Amino acid sequence: MAAPSKKLQDALNAQIVAEFHSAYVYLSMAAYFEAENWPGFAKWMRVQSREEVEHAMKIFDFVNDRGGRVQLGAIEKPPVRFASPLDAFRKAYEHERKITQKIHKLYDLAVQEGDYPTQVMLQWFIDEQVEEEKITSEAVARLERAGDHPHALLMLDRRFGKREE
Ligand code: FEO
């Protein structure tokens, strides 16, 4: 099996960078939560950030396994200011929606290029994005319900901190 076409390799390389950018976005959110004394939300974001590195590495390994050439690019600066826990999780949800669009476009390209292994590899990401949107939108809904009630927010922080590594 030949390596993915040049066009597809470029798009896969761009997705590797997008996943590292996601890791950066969540790490930036973790830093915000650490600074604001929300240890549970911070832990959740750290775990999420690490998962994003795994996503990047999945594509990295795939390109190499196919005899392609991984070329890393610059990682854009993540947002650093957040108004509240709700604001951070809303941004997380919006971020995931954008990533879903990127994955779908990448899949379309793999179809156009007639590259079946890339299509199969991307199916994992298509499923994963359903999960990513679900968990971030649920977090937004919980935070909206908690509103400004300190007790409810503290309980949520504790619950989010139980996320497994
Ligand atoms: Fe790699 Fe959060 O999607």
Side-chain angles (χ1 to χ4, degrees), residues 121-139:
M121 184 274 292
L122 287 174
Q123 273 163 17
W124 184 90
F125 281 89
I126 291 170
D127 285 343
E128 177 67 11
Q129 283 312 120
V130 172
E131 187 61 24
E132 294 281 68
E133 287 194 25
K134 177 174 177 268
I135 60 170
T136 48
S137 65
E138 278 176 3

Side-chain angles (χ1 to χ4, degrees), residues 61-95:
D61 289 339
F62 176 81
V63 173
N64 280 323
D65 288 349
R66 289 285 304 282
R69 174 71 167 91
V70 170
Q71 284 186 303
L72 299 176
I75 302 172
E76 195 190 321
K77 184 180 173 177
V80 291
R81 287 183 210 288
F82 306 96
S84 61
L86 176 59
D87 179 44
F89 275 93
R90 274 189 179 141
K91 286 191 165 82
Y93 175 57
E94 285 312 314
H95 182 77

Side-chain angles (χ1 to χ4, degrees), residues 19 22 26 48 51-52 55 96 99 125 128-129 132:
E19 298 292 343
S22 299
Y26 291 121
Q48 184 71 13
E51 277 193 8
E52 298 297 353
H55 295 173
E96 287 303 334
I99 294 293
F125 281 89
E128 177 67 11
Q129 283 312 120
E132 294 281 68

Side-chain angles (χ1 to χ4, degrees), residues 17-88:
V17 175
E19 298 292 343
F20 277 121
H21 179 244
S22 299
Y24 225 42
V25 167
Y26 291 121
L27 199 55
S28 184
M29 290 175 181
Y32 159 74
F33 283 123
E34 297 278 0
E36 297 289 322
N37 291 310
W38 293 108
F41 295 134
K43 156 97 182 292
W44 194 98
M45 288 295 177
R46 271 181 196 242
V47 174
Q48 184 71 13
S49 178
R50 242 177 276 142
E51 277 193 8
E52 298 297 353
V53 173
E54 284 170 19
H55 295 173
M57 293 312 294
K58 244 183 220 287
I59 305 172
F60 182 103
D61 289 339
F62 176 81
V63 173
N64 280 323
D65 288 349
R66 289 285 304 282
R69 174 71 167 91
V70 170
Q71 284 186 303
L72 299 176
I75 302 172
E76 195 190 321
K77 184 180 173 177
V80 291
R81 287 183 210 288
F82 306 96
S84 61
L86 176 59
D87 179 44

